[in-house]
Amino acid sequence: MEPPVLYHWDSKGKAYIARLLMAESGLDYQMVRLGVDCDFATEIKQHTPFGQAPFLTHGPLKIGQSGAISRYIAKIGGLSGGSDADFAMSEMLLCEADDILAILAGAKYRNGNTAKAWDAALDEQLPPHYANLEKLLRPGARCFTAVGPCAGDIAIFAALDIVMDLDPRLIAGFPLLTAFFRTISSLPSLQATLAADIPIYYKRTVHPPAAEEEESDGQPQQQQSGMPISDYGVGISGRRVMQEPGGTSTLQLFG
């Protein structure tokens, strides 16, 4: 069967977990960048199950929804866990990664992409998630799963990697989680992906300096738009996925 083909915009968003999973599993695959290699609305959307991206094809299979894509890659790539306990832990972590990314999406979209929304997300809503993850890690363990890394381990790393692009200090108070992050970031299988120049999707809106708080008419200035300029400014990355071994730019569109 031909390699999987992943369709998504060239950003560190919903397809980032899938990219890291394919790198860890050693799967050869093709990456089609929406908006660069093809137009989603006119060329791809009609072929997707739910009219959304990311979208994965593998032979005759057409798979939508980022969670389903991650689990499919885990299954064919041998990352689902070797025991019932590891499988259960990995599945929990895949869901937890989605919860972490949902908080970022809430700040960007639902809550207006304001500095106040990002403060609440990063400083109030996310720390309890770090604390729960810290409790799941055993001192001296490389991963959450015994056989790790499994899909859930990679997913949590991906979510934290995106968060730490916004502020690299955010998990500093959680030593076991920090050690886990460093362990996964050093995996040889992930180095090409982590060295690629994948543009960031989330960018924290910051409060304006006090001197610029008001304009000449006394009205507050508008918040920064928070639109991403480039990905992985302060994180461990700064990369473009099309340079990854096993992730070629060969365009494979539908007839």
Side-chain angles (χ1 to χ4, degrees):
M1 186 182 293
E2 61 267 29
V5 183
L6 179 64
Y7 298 80
H8 201 248
W9 289 273
D10 193 25
S11 67
K12 226 160 117 182
K14 281 185 170 291
Y16 186 50
I17 293 174
R19 293 178 179 186
L20 290 174
L21 288 174
M22 285 194 278
E24 172 60 20
S25 65
L27 288 172
D28 186 27
Y29 73 100
Q30 296 177 357
M31 180 72 205
V32 177
R33 299 167 298 172
L34 303 177
V36 176
D37 299 321
C38 63
D39 180 70
F40 177 70
T42 60
E43 299 178 76
I44 304 299
K45 184 176 182 178
Q46 65 269 30
H47 300 289
T48 69
F50 301 107
Q52 300 171 328
F55 171 50
L56 185 80
T57 63
H58 192 199
L61 295 176
K62 298 180 180 180
I63 306 170
Q65 301 291 357
S66 58
I69 291 170
S70 294
R71 287 168 170 83
Y72 179 74
I73 295 169
K75 185 177 187 298
I76 66 174
L79 297 175
S80 295
S83 67
D84 290 345
D86 275 345
F87 174 77
M89 176 63 77
S90 182
E91 287 295 305
M92 287 196 300
L93 296 174
L94 282 163
C95 295
E96 173 65 6
D98 284 344
D99 287 349
I100 289 172
L101 296 180
I103 290 174
L104 303 185
K108 182 176 175 68
Y109 296 110
R110 187 174 61 253
N111 297 323
N113 203 36
T114 63
K116 183 178 179 180
W118 280 107
D119 288 349
L122 298 178
D123 302 333
E124 300 173 17
Q125 297 171 30
L126 283 176
H129 289 265
Y130 308 149
N132 288 332
L133 289 168
E134 182 86 358
K135 288 187 292 186
L136 288 175
L137 285 164
R138 293 163 292 135
R142 294 175 62 249
C143 299
F144 292 90
T145 56
V147 71
C150 292
D153 297 298
I154 299 297
I156 288 295
F157 168 78
L160 293 177
D161 202 17
I162 292 172
V163 167
M164 290 176 68
D165 277 345
L166 302 169
D167 187 339
R169 304 164 297 176
L170 289 175
I171 64 170
F174 303 91
L176 297 180
L177 193 58
T178 298
F180 160 80
F181 183 85
R182 290 173 177 166
T183 294
I184 302 300
S185 69
S186 66
L187 291 175
S189 56
L190 302 186
Q191 294 314 299
T193 306
L194 298 180
D197 183 21
I198 305 175
I200 62 169
Y201 185 70
Y202 297 106
K203 184 177 176 64
R204 183 175 190 167
T205 303
V206 298
H207 294 277
E212 300 176 9
E213 190 86 20
E214 295 186 354
E215 298 177 346
S216 57
D217 61 358
Q219 296 299 315
Q221 291 184 327
Q222 291 183 339
Q223 293 285 350
Q224 298 178 22
S225 68
M227 293 299 293
I229 298 173
S230 64
D231 197 1
Y232 266 61
V234 296
I236 63 171
S237 305
R239 51 256 191 174
R240 186 156 297 281
V241 73
M242 302 311 294
Q243 299 174 355
E244 297 174 26
T248 67
S249 59
T250 304
L251 192 62
Q252 180 180 357
L253 299 180
F254 300 93

